[in-house]
Amino acid sequence: MPMTSFEVPCEKCPLQNRPGFRRFSSEELNFIASFKIGELRVAAGNQFLTDGSASPHLYTVLSGWAIRHKSFENGRRQILNIAVAGDFLGLQSSLFSEMTHSVEALTDMILCVFARERIWELYNSQSGLAFDLTWLAAREEQVLADQLANIGQRSAFHRIAHMILLVFDRARIAGLVQGNKLALPLTQEHIADAMGLSLVHTNKTLQRLRQTGWLTWDRGILVLKNQAKLRELTECAAPGERLRPYL
Amino acid sequence: MPMTSFEVPCEKCPLQNRPGFRRFSSEELNFIASFKIGELRVAAGNQFLTDGSASPHLYTVLSGWAIRHKSFENGRRQILNIAVAGDFLGLQSSLFSEMTHSVEALTDMILCVFARERIWELYNSQSGLAFDLTWLAAREEQVLADQLANIGQRSAFHRIAHMILLVFDRARIAGLVQGNKLALPLTQEHIADAMGLSLVHTNKTLQRLRQTGWLTWDRGILVLKNQAKLRELTECAAPGERLRPYL
DNA sequence: CGTTACCTTGAATCTCCTCAATACACGTGG
DNA sequence: CCACGTGTATTGAGGAGATTCAAGGTAACG
């Protein structure tokens, strides 16, 4: 067996010790190490998975931010979700033949790369990891359902509050939050595209949100001054945090 | 082993021979038969999976229609998706401890019931079926992503056209469509709740859609007179049909 | 027949959108 | 150091689309 050395070997995976992530057995870790074929660095702004194309790879985000989105011919787009450290991308093209959305890097990223053909081996020999993949897919579904309810039933004001909390929570799990501060690589246009709102209306609504004094967001730094009040705006059963797997 | 006899034994499962569903090996079929613990009949209007509760069961729809939805305190609700024959329900409460949405029968239904504890056995001994579960979860995610883009980016007119085609396509796969006719147990209120629109505006928009002459919908019978024209309204990459598993 | 559920209509209102400018931050090259 | 370009944020005005309220109308059912 060729001893390839990665910059981030699986045994020393930075995700392994993060709170919120489950630990793997050494057998699982060995499998994952053999499943991994490399690391990919993507510069901010690049699209590394494309709607309609078949990717031969699966990715786990090691660092950086990305957005999953669907684009339309008329220039509009819907941002489905954001991806941070620990998120698993490209499963669709392994299960179906093609991606049905694209993924674009918001910041420079480091991705862990796996070969999609070998996913069968995973199912045959690693039932625990197979279960994890189902878990991750189901969790994505949960987040999308939440967003659907958010966009379908809430006003712009509540919608954006909900979105900000969602992003904040996901960033916190990924270990990117310092206290109540978060360096957020999103523009107002991203928020608008995620919420199905126009840029102008998003801007005005964000101003109203800031006027409450419960948050500030200046030059990419988001600070939640009063999380409790913000959460009151989005009463709707929080998405219960549990230990999650990663590959 | 007690020889329980179901009204619909797995070997004679009506879903088995439907186009669009994959066939199982006899080993798989045996496992599924042992996994099945019964059949459940639910009358129209009943909610058999509830948001926030832990269901001990997993279900496959054998016949009838259901809606998956999230309800809010203020009386509003978001319909996430509809479920027809072959759809798998309740996976969430197996993977996470609780459901994060509810499921309600629109018509009388027959459901195939599985025990959630035994899902581990499935992962340990039936990697093909384990893969299928991931497939089903990922496919649900795909549909939700599609709906999210639909609601977020399209006008009421296009939105509803898209929704109608989605429902029609899913019903066709389930074998419920005769030619271009479909008996649809949905009210306009269901459409409204699914699209994030008010009932009044949904009504007026449906009238505009009917005025095109491309469809009629009277007394629960939906007829697509001009599918091609309707699909033009929703240009957005059709959700590629493939053989799907069921349990 | 009367009740119920669903569909339809009109009118007043408000949220959100588009268009069009302007302002600010940041980086680049002169 | 300043002039300039680019990407992002902000403002104002006018209008389209969607909402709410409030009535009716129609089919189905007992």
Side-chain angles (χ1 to χ4, degrees):
Chain A
M1 182 181 289
M3 195 57 203
T4 49
S5 69
F6 299 122
E7 286 193 44
V8 184
C10 292
E11 317 83 57
K12 292 181 186 164
C13 183
L15 297 176
Q16 182 78 284
N17 295 310
R18 292 265 178 79
F21 288 90
R22 93 165 172 89
R23 303 207 58 124
F24 293 121
S25 70
S26 59
E27 188 199 338
E28 285 172 330
L29 218 48
N30 284 338
F31 180 87
I32 293 170
S34 77
F35 188 31
K36 175 171 177 177
I37 59 177
E39 280 153 24
L40 177 66
R41 278 153 196 277
V42 183
N46 282 94
Q47 191 165 292
F48 56 95
L49 284 168
T50 305
D51 195 357
S53 75
S55 162
H57 298 138
L58 290 159
Y59 303 101
T60 291
V61 179
L62 289 181
S63 68
W65 294 68
I67 49 172
R68 304 199 299 133
H69 65 95
K70 274 174 184 271
S71 291
F72 294 67
E73 321 68 43
N74 58 8
R76 301 187 65 118
R77 69 172 175 179
Q78 176 68 42
I79 292 178
L80 303 170
N81 202 352
I82 56 158
V84 290
D87 279 315
F88 193 64
L89 299 168
L91 187 60
Q92 289 208 346
S93 78
S94 291
L95 298 176
F96 317 109
S97 50
E98 292 180 355
M99 293 294 294
T100 54
H101 62 261
S102 303
V103 186
E104 180 185 320
L106 282 181
T107 64
D108 290 351
M109 303 184 78
I110 304 178
L111 301 162
C112 201
V113 185
F114 304 101
R116 98 182 219 194
E117 319 86 70
R118 296 196 52 212
I119 202 171
W120 268 107
E121 283 175 53
L122 186 153
Y123 276 87
N124 285 326
S125 68
Q126 299 291 327
S127 53
L129 297 178
F131 188 85
D132 288 345
L133 284 186
T134 311
W135 195 97
L136 286 164
R139 190 171 137 287
E140 261 325 310
E141 187 204 331
Q142 240 181 357
V143 174
L144 290 188
D146 202 42
Q147 283 291 67
L148 195 55
N150 189 30
I151 293 188
Q153 303 302 323
R154 283 199 257 256
S155 68
F157 189 75
H158 296 265
R159 235 187 262 191
I160 294 181
H162 182 269
M163 166 82 175
I164 285 178
L165 285 171
L166 177 80
V167 171
F168 192 84
D169 286 339
R170 301 204 68 192
R172 185 160 38 72
I173 293 175
L176 302 167
V177 172
Q178 318 263 320
N180 56 358
K181 267 207 197 85
L182 168 63
L184 198 57
L186 294 170
T187 66
Q188 294 186 354
E189 192 166 11
H190 289 126
I191 304 288
D193 287 349
M195 306 316 276
L197 295 169
S198 72
L199 175 56
V200 172
H201 197 238
T202 299
N203 178 283
K204 287 171 182 167
T205 307
L206 271 170
Q207 289 178 46
R208 278 207 293 143
L209 263 173
R210 283 187 292 230
Q211 274 163 25
T212 64
W214 301 339
L215 62 83
T216 64
W217 183 13
D218 189 39
R219 249 148 285 205
I221 305 295
L222 173 70
V223 185
L224 302 193
K225 304 280 195 184
N226 193 335
Q227 239 176 297
K229 284 285 185 190
L230 283 171
R231 291 197 193 274
E232 271 177 34
L233 289 179
T234 67
E235 295 280 285
C236 166
E241 276 178 45
R242 330 201 80 252
L243 290 188
R244 49 199 292 249
Y246 68 92
L247 284 189
Chain B
M1 180 181 290
M3 196 55 202
T4 49
S5 70
F6 299 122
E7 286 193 43
V8 183
C10 292
E11 317 84 56
K12 291 179 186 164
C13 183
L15 297 177
Q16 180 78 284
N17 295 309
R18 292 264 178 80
F21 288 89
R22 94 166 171 90
R23 304 206 57 125
F24 293 122
S25 70
S26 59
E27 189 199 338
E28 285 172 329
L29 217 48
N30 283 339
F31 179 87
I32 294 170
S34 78
F35 189 30
K36 175 170 176 177
I37 60 176
E39 281 153 22
L40 177 66
R41 279 154 196 277
V42 183
N46 283 93
Q47 191 165 293
F48 57 94
L49 284 168
T50 306
D51 195 358
S53 76
S55 163
H57 298 139
L58 290 159
Y59 304 101
T60 290
V61 179
L62 290 180
S63 68
W65 294 68
I67 49 172
R68 303 201 299 135
H69 65 94
K70 274 174 184 273
S71 290
F72 293 66
E73 322 69 41
N74 58 9
R76 300 186 67 116
R77 68 172 176 179
Q78 176 69 42
I79 292 178
L80 302 171
N81 201 352
I82 56 157
V84 290
D87 280 315
F88 194 63
L89 300 168
L91 187 60
Q92 290 208 347
S93 76
S94 291
L95 298 177
F96 317 109
S97 50
E98 291 179 355
M99 293 294 294
T100 54
H101 62 262
S102 304
V103 187
E104 179 185 320
L106 282 180
T107 64
D108 290 350
M109 303 184 78
I110 304 179
L111 301 162
C112 203
V113 185
F114 304 100
R116 101 183 216 193
E117 318 88 67
R118 297 197 52 212
I119 202 172
W120 267 107
E121 284 176 52
L122 186 152
Y123 276 87
N124 285 325
S125 69
Q126 299 292 326
S127 55
L129 297 179
F131 188 85
D132 288 346
L133 283 187
T134 311
W135 195 97
L136 286 165
R139 188 172 138 287
E140 262 324 311
E141 186 203 331
Q142 239 182 358
V143 174
L144 289 188
D146 201 44
Q147 283 290 67
L148 195 54
N150 189 31
I151 293 188
Q153 304 302 325
R154 284 200 258 256
S155 68
F157 190 75
H158 296 264
R159 236 187 260 192
I160 294 182
H162 183 269
M163 167 82 175
I164 285 178
L165 285 170
L166 177 81
V167 171
F168 192 85
D169 286 339
R170 301 204 68 192
R172 185 159 39 70
I173 293 173
L176 301 167
V177 171
Q178 318 264 321
N180 57 357
K181 268 207 198 88
L182 168 63
L184 198 57
L186 294 170
T187 66
Q188 294 186 353
E189 193 166 10
H190 288 125
I191 304 289
D193 287 349
M195 305 317 274
L197 296 168
S198 71
L199 175 56
V200 172
H201 196 237
T202 300
N203 178 282
K204 287 170 182 166
T205 307
L206 271 169
Q207 289 177 47
R208 277 208 293 146
L209 263 173
R210 282 186 293 229
Q211 275 163 25
T212 63
W214 300 339
L215 62 83
T216 64
W217 184 13
D218 189 39
R219 249 147 288 203
I221 305 296
L222 173 71
V223 185
L224 302 194
K225 303 280 195 185
N226 193 335
Q227 237 173 296
K229 283 285 184 189
L230 284 171
R231 290 197 193 276
E232 272 178 34
L233 290 180
T234 68
E235 296 279 287
C236 163
E241 276 179 47
R242 330 201 80 253
L243 291 189
R244 50 198 290 250
Y246 69 92
L247 283 190

